[in-house]
Each structure stands twice: as C-alpha cells, then as structure tokens.
Amino acid sequence: METFYSSLSKPIQKQFSLLLSYDTKTSPAVITPENQLVKPQCSKYGKTLDLSLNSIFFIDPEEFRAFSDIACLNFSSNGIGQDLNGSEFIYFPNLAYLDLSYNKLDFASFGAFQELKQLEVLDISYNRHYFIVEGVTHHLHFIENLHKLTILNLSWNEISTLTEPEIKSNSLKELRFAGNRLDVLWRKGDTRYLNLFKQCTNLSLLDISHNRIHIMPDEALINLPTNLSELYFNQNGLQFFAWKNLRYFKNLKILDLSHNRLTMIIAHLSNYTQSLQTLIISYNSIQTLADGFLIKAVSLTHLDLSFNLIQSINKSIFLSGNDNYLKVLKLKGNPFDCTCEIIDLVQWIIKNNVTIPRLATDVNCATPNNWKKKGIIAFDIQTCNVDMIAMLLFLTSSLVIVPLTTLPVVKHLFYWDVWYIYHWCRARLKRFKVRSSGRSLYDAFITYDETDPAVTDWVYNELCHQIENKGKKSILLCLEERDWEPGKAVIDNIAQSINQSKKTLFVLTKKYVRKGKFRTAFYLAMQKLMDENMDVIVIVLLQPVLQNSQYLRLRKKICASSILEWPTNPHAEYFFWQKMKNVLLTENSSRYNNLYTNPVTTWKYA
C-alpha cells in the first residue's frame, strides 16, 4: 500500500489523505475545497475513497487490503479495461456505493462483483467498449450476484445486443438505461427482448431516454414492470405514444415524454391513469389539446406543455374551481395567437390559483405582429368583449327588425300567388299513382280527430250508422281505425285512402284544424283536384271554425252544398243526413254555382 500511495503525485496524495479521513457519519460538517469533488450521494454512505481521474488501468486488490471500512469508492474516469472476475473488491466488505463510470470494463465473467455483498449503488455508465465489440458475449449476468443492489446506472453504453433476453433482479429499484440502443433490441419482428425489464419486479424508476425509439412496440411497453412510479421516455424521437397502455401501471406518478415528436394527447386521460402526478410533454409538436383531456384527472398536479406548437387553448381543457387540480402548469415557448380566441386561457389564468413559471416574461404571443413577444397575460380582453357585444346586438336587432318589416308586406302582396305556385309546383313534381273514379273502393274517406272521444263517438254511432246502415243505396266509408293497414306510415295511409275514395269528408273541430294531420289530408285532396281535375272535398263543421278562411268563403260561393254544418235543432238532423247522402253520391262539379263557373269556362275556351 505504501508503494501505491508513494507512486501518486503530491496533489493526489493530499486529496487521497483527506478522502480517507473523511467520514460523513462522524464528521458531516468537514467540507473543504479539496473534497468538493466527492459526489454527495456517494459520501452519504460513509467513508469515501475517490480515485477518479488518475489514469488507473488495473485494479490490484492487494493495494486496498487496509481499506475495509470504505463505504463509497469512486473509480470513475480512469482507463480500467480489465475483465472483472469477482476478486477486485474483496477488501471492501462494507462497500455500498461503487462508481466505475467512464472506463473500459469487461463484464464477460459470470463472477463479476460477486464479492460485493453489501453493494447498493453501482454506476457503470460510459463503459461502451465492452458492448460495441462484435462477435463476443454481451451479458449482464453480474446483476444477479448483487442481492442488495437498489440503483444501477447502465447509461451510455450503446447496448444493442445481449445474451440473456431479460435483466433479473428482485432488489433493483432504480435503473438508468439512457443512451443505449433499445431501438435495435425492440426492432420490428424481433420479440426476444420485449420482456427485457419485466423480471425487475421491484423496479420503481426506469430511465430509457436517448434510445432512439421512434416507434414503441405495445408489447414492450406493456411488459415493463408494473410497479413503476417514474418512467423517463424523453429524447427518443417518439412519434406516437399508446396512452391507453397507462392502465397497466397503477403506481405511475411521473411520466417524462419531453423532446419527442408527439402531435396529440388522448382525451379523458383519467380513464387510463388515476395515479399520474407529473406529466412532462415539453419540446414536442402538439398543436391542440383534446377536449376533456383533464376531466376527473384528480391526481395530476404538474403539467409541462412548454415548447410545443399550441396557439390557443379551449376553456373546456383546463377546468376551473373544484374541478381543477393542477398546481403547476408550464406554457413557455408556445406560439400563442393573441386574438379573441385566447380570452378563455387568459380568463382561466386569472381565475385559478395555478403556478405558471415565468408567465409575465416567457409565455408570449407569436401572432399577430402587433402583439409579438408580448406576454399573453397583458392581452386586453375588454376589446374582444366590446366587439362581441356589438356583434350580438347587431345580429339580434337584424333578426327581429327584418322579419317584422318584410313578412307583413310579402303576405299582403303575394300571399295567394305564393300559395298557388307552391301547390302547382308540388303537384307537378310529385304525382301519386291513383285509381280511376270508376274503380274506387270507397264512397268516402272520413278524416277526423280520433283523439277526441266525443268526435269519435259521433263518427261511429251517428255518421256511420246514418250513412252506411240506413237508406236503399249502400254507401261504403273508409275509416282510419277500421280500414287502414297496420304498420304503414300515416301519410301513406292518408294518400291511399284519398285515392281509393270518391270523396274525402273532413269532420272539423277547433282542435282538429290545428293539427298537421288535417293539413296533410287537405293538401293531398287539393292535389287530386289539380292532378285529375276531381273535386272530392266535403266539409262538415261540428263547431264554428275557420271563420276567416278565404278558401272556405270562396268554396261557399262556388259549391255551397259541399259545406255542411251540424244543426243545433235536433229536428233538422234528418235533413242534414239526407243532404250528406246526396253530396256523397253526386259529383261536386254538378252542383257548382253557374254564376262563378260560366265566366271561367268562357275565358278558358276564348
């Protein structure tokens, strides 16, 4: 040992002596400029021996026979290139932290590190020489020799192939695997390494950043340890992330997807994770956030959306009041469009107590030019409110004034023209296939208000009885409840009944004339007049209705006998029924008033 110590340079000897004498358990306050190079996470385990940056090429265990009480050993940044066989650290029985980063170690031996029974932290990052050599065995079997190992750093080793398809450890809690080649291990069509981390049953932190994983296989993601609480997937160039697979990780609290190429976030994140507390998706290409993204996401308190392509955020994205659980929101570096669409976001920021780092200086507008590089929090929302109120008032007044002034004038000047043109065009565009009058199945189709019990009773017990059952000539009536086809559309049944009947008899009441069924039947009967020149309409007024109807007035002048009023005198009912039979058995045209029909006929043949 004296030979080894004397071979060191004087500055190194001085540092070496200080490090050997430093014990954080007995002298935690002894911190001098000479020993500030010691990693705090290393020195907290106890006595520390730091031999980093010394160009050591070989570890001779005999040189460390007197250092059995060392708890932390730092051999980083040397040139050690030997094949570890399990004898190098036999004189460090209490070693808990070992740093071998930035060396050229060989792990081919199955006995590597087997002598370190108390080792908890092992850093072998930046030892790529062993893993990039082709044609040799690459394995990590030494992990199974370390039964108390909780933290392992395998970062930046360019690991692209392994002998064993799985890393096995029951004690490992933190695994740093950044800077390797999982894109090669998980390449399409190769299923050997999809369970690479599955046997690390107690793993809570996994860092697989910088692994060039552009497309993450679903099987590889699902087969990660289910106990993970932290997953770092940043710096991979990932184009799509299967958000739905988060349901397999019930304890996941931190998810880092920054510095990728993601373009979307799934809606209703709470459907797939109820444990996630921190979500980092900065430095991606996200333009919009899905509606309902944060609904019921009660666990999510930290959200990093900085340096994306977000121009505006809808108010339905970030919830307010008791529904808002966010505590920290990062929005820096997004090209916000500071128009009236940004109002929702500004109002949400004002009303909710959420910490937004560097809100006043770095959360800025990108467009329009007059707001470029100005903070969105300074946007004047009052201007948009004034413009919106003015627009609403203008639209409201226009919608009220224009109809009120236009409709009365149009009705007064063109009512009959429009009515006639409408029905004329309808008759020409849509024709019904009808039977000729000689082949009609019924003498009359009765249309009435079947929902009115009094009217229904009158039709069946009075009308049907007097017309069908009395008299020498039998008259066959078509009734809805008796003669319509079940399951057929109402309008089809009405059209068929009118076309199969010689007459259509309307039994009118105040309630019935307001129904659409009456209008439909009336228009179909009118269409038969225009299509076939057959007047089939007969009207029975059970109540005084349509007193101001111009059509009713004109019909009383042309064919008064086709309009029947139910008499108030019971003794006149006999004459009413006799008149109805005559009307139903004769054509309406034979009873037209010549005073009105002759001039029309004369003009027609002039």
Side-chain angles (χ1 to χ4, degrees):
M1 179 62 194
E2 292 179 358
T3 304
F4 168 74
Y5 182 78
S6 60
S7 64
L8 300 177
S9 60
K10 291 184 178 180
I12 297 298
Q13 289 178 3
K14 184 177 182 181
Q15 181 184 15
F16 187 55
S17 301
L18 286 168
L19 291 172
L20 289 177
S21 61
Y22 177 58
D23 186 346
T24 55
K25 294 181 179 178
T26 58
S27 306
V30 181
I31 303 292
T32 62
E34 289 85 353
N35 60 30
Q36 284 182 352
L37 294 175
V38 178
K39 295 180 179 180
Q41 61 268 34
C42 176
S43 58
K44 72 177 182 180
Y45 285 92
K47 282 189 177 182
T48 301
L49 176 59
D50 190 340
L51 296 175
S52 60
L53 299 166
N54 274 286
S55 300
I56 300 173
F57 299 101
F58 183 79
I59 299 175
D60 183 1
E62 295 300 325
E63 298 291 341
F64 301 97
R65 184 181 291 273
F67 298 96
S68 60
D69 57 346
I70 294 297
C72 173
L73 178 60
N74 187 356
F75 264 117
S76 65
S77 300
N78 284 287
I80 305 172
Q82 69 192 90
D83 180 9
L84 302 180
N85 56 23
S87 63
E88 290 79 13
F89 306 102
I90 57 175
Y91 296 113
F92 296 97
N94 298 316
L95 193 64
Y97 191 112
L98 176 59
D99 187 351
L100 291 170
S101 59
Y102 293 95
N103 283 291
K104 303 177 182 179
L105 296 172
D106 192 319
F107 305 103
S109 174
F110 280 83
F113 302 116
Q114 64 181 356
E115 73 276 22
L116 298 175
K117 304 299 182 181
Q118 304 299 321
L119 191 66
E120 297 180 21
V121 182
L122 175 61
D123 186 352
I124 52 174
S125 58
Y126 295 95
N127 277 274
R128 60 191 295 268
H129 294 78
Y130 167 65
F131 295 101
I132 63 174
V133 176
E134 296 182 2
V136 300
T137 300
H138 300 115
H139 65 80
L140 300 173
H141 183 77
F142 64 86
I143 299 176
E144 299 180 31
N145 299 328
L146 303 170
H147 301 293
K148 289 190 177 183
L149 187 68
T150 58
I151 301 175
L152 174 62
N153 192 348
L154 288 170
S155 300
W156 304 104
N157 283 312
E158 294 287 329
I159 300 174
S160 61
T161 181
L162 290 170
T163 304
E164 299 88 0
E166 296 179 357
I167 298 174
K168 298 179 181 180
S169 175
N170 294 326
S171 61
L172 199 61
K173 294 182 179 180
E174 179 179 326
L175 176 58
R176 303 283 179 177
F177 205 79
N180 289 297
R181 295 302 305 273
L182 282 175
D183 62 319
V184 178
L185 292 171
W186 288 343
R187 63 178 173 266
K188 187 176 181 180
D190 191 349
T191 60
R192 291 176 298 169
Y193 303 102
L194 294 177
N195 297 327
L196 182 62
F197 306 108
K198 190 173 184 178
Q199 295 302 320
C200 298
T201 54
N202 287 318
L203 197 66
S204 60
L205 185 152
L206 177 61
D207 182 0
I208 51 175
S209 59
H210 296 274
N211 269 272
R212 310 182 197 179
I213 309 172
H214 302 315
I215 299 176
M216 178 71 173
D218 284 347
E219 296 86 350
L221 181 58
I222 293 172
N223 288 326
L224 294 180
T226 56
N227 290 328
L228 284 178
S229 60
E230 299 181 37
L231 177 59
Y232 296 90
F233 212 104
N234 49 297
Q235 299 280 4
N236 273 298
L238 189 66
Q239 299 173 359
F240 174 79
F241 182 77
W243 297 93
K244 294 182 179 180
N245 290 332
L246 291 178
R247 63 180 182 271
Y248 295 102
F249 306 99
K250 305 297 183 181
N251 301 317
L252 190 64
K253 294 180 173 57
I254 300 175
L255 177 61
D256 188 350
L257 294 170
S258 61
H259 294 273
N260 284 296
R261 300 176 185 174
L262 300 178
T263 58
M264 61 165 288
I265 305 177
I266 198 168
H268 300 284
L269 183 65
S270 61
N271 291 344
Y272 311 107
T273 175
Q274 292 290 334
S275 61
L276 194 63
Q277 297 177 359
T278 301
L279 176 59
I280 306 172
I281 44 180
S282 58
Y283 292 94
N284 279 282
S285 301
I286 297 170
Q287 296 182 1
T288 58
L289 302 176
D291 291 337
F293 165 51
L294 294 176
I295 290 179
K296 296 182 180 180
V298 297
S299 62
L300 190 63
T301 57
H302 290 67
L303 177 61
D304 189 350
L305 293 171
S306 56
F307 294 98
N308 277 282
L309 302 177
I310 301 173
Q311 293 183 327
S312 62
I313 299 177
N314 191 287
K315 63 181 179 181
S316 63
I317 304 299
F318 296 141
L319 307 177
S320 300
N322 295 330
D323 294 327
N324 174 51
Y325 301 95
L326 279 180
K327 294 181 179 178
V328 177
L329 173 63
K330 296 182 179 180
L331 296 172
K332 177 182 177 181
N334 282 287
F336 287 107
D337 182 20
C338 290
T339 58
C340 291
E341 294 183 0
I342 204 72
I343 290 179
D344 291 341
L345 177 59
V346 175
Q347 290 179 337
W348 181 86
I349 293 173
I350 296 172
K351 294 179 181 179
N352 292 274
N353 186 24
V354 177
T355 301
I356 303 179
R358 306 185 70 84
L359 173 62
T361 57
D362 292 343
V363 184
N364 298 329
C365 305
T367 55
N369 288 331
N370 57 325
W371 275 94
K372 194 171 184 179
K373 295 184 179 181
K374 294 182 181 179
I376 65 170
I377 196 64
F379 184 75
D380 187 7
I381 61 177
Q382 189 63 31
T383 304
C384 294
N385 291 335
V386 172
D387 293 343
M388 188 177 298
I389 293 172
M391 181 61 70
L392 289 175
L393 290 175
F394 172 76
L395 292 175
T396 303
S397 60
S398 299
L399 291 174
V400 173
I401 295 173
V402 172
L404 288 178
T405 56
T406 304
L407 290 178
V409 175
V410 172
K411 182 179 180 181
H412 179 73
L413 297 176
F414 307 107
Y415 175 76
W416 281 104
D417 302 279
V418 173
W419 187 88
Y420 175 78
I421 292 171
Y422 168 73
H423 288 284
W424 185 87
C425 293
R426 185 175 178 182
R428 291 295 177 271
L429 294 174
K430 184 178 181 182
R431 296 178 178 272
F432 287 89
K433 294 181 179 179
V434 298
R435 299 177 182 266
S436 63
S437 59
R439 298 175 60 189
S440 297
L441 298 179
Y442 304 99
D443 292 292
F445 165 54
I446 312 300
T447 174
Y448 62 96
D449 187 5
E450 71 278 0
T451 62
D452 191 334
V455 176
T456 304
D457 180 75
W458 183 85
V459 169
Y460 278 92
N461 297 324
E462 292 288 340
L463 178 61
C464 293
H465 177 71
Q466 294 291 338
I467 300 300
E468 287 186 322
N469 301 329
K470 288 186 177 183
K472 296 181 180 180
K473 292 185 178 181
S474 60
I475 299 176
L476 185 59
L477 302 178
C478 177
L479 298 174
E480 173 182 342
E481 297 181 357
R482 188 179 67 185
D483 303 305
W484 277 12
E485 293 183 23
K488 196 172 185 179
V490 173
I491 188 171
D492 293 335
N493 269 315
I494 293 175
Q496 181 176 331
S497 299
I498 292 175
N499 291 325
Q500 292 180 350
S501 303
K502 295 179 182 179
K503 296 290 180 69
T504 300
L505 192 150
F506 294 88
V507 180
L508 302 185
T509 59
K510 293 180 179 178
K511 185 178 179 182
Y512 186 49
V513 297
R514 293 194 294 267
K515 290 193 173 183
K517 183 179 176 182
F518 160 70
R519 296 188 182 92
T520 301
F522 182 78
Y523 288 142
L524 290 175
M526 288 293 296
Q527 183 171 321
K528 191 168 185 178
L529 173 63
M530 289 184 283
D531 286 347
E532 305 175 37
N533 199 26
M534 293 179 60
D535 185 3
V536 298
I537 296 175
V538 178
I539 298 174
V540 175
L541 302 176
L542 291 184
Q543 295 176 349
V545 296
L546 302 175
Q547 299 298 314
N548 298 321
S549 172
Q550 298 184 34
Y551 171 81
L552 209 59
R553 292 178 184 177
L554 180 61
R555 189 164 186 83
K556 284 182 179 180
K557 293 180 180 180
I558 296 176
C559 188
S561 60
S562 65
I563 299 177
L564 306 174
E565 294 185 23
W566 178 248
T568 57
N569 185 356
H571 298 289
E573 292 180 6
Y574 173 80
F575 299 99
F576 173 84
W577 295 120
Q578 189 61 41
K579 187 178 180 180
M580 179 179 289
K581 290 180 180 180
N582 293 336
V583 171
L584 295 178
L585 293 173
T586 59
E587 296 292 335
N588 285 351
S589 58
S590 64
R591 289 177 278 104
Y592 281 175
N593 190 332
N594 293 330
L595 181 64
Y596 293 95
T597 56
N598 287 340
V600 175
T601 305
T602 303
W603 173 83
K604 181 177 181 181
Y605 295 99

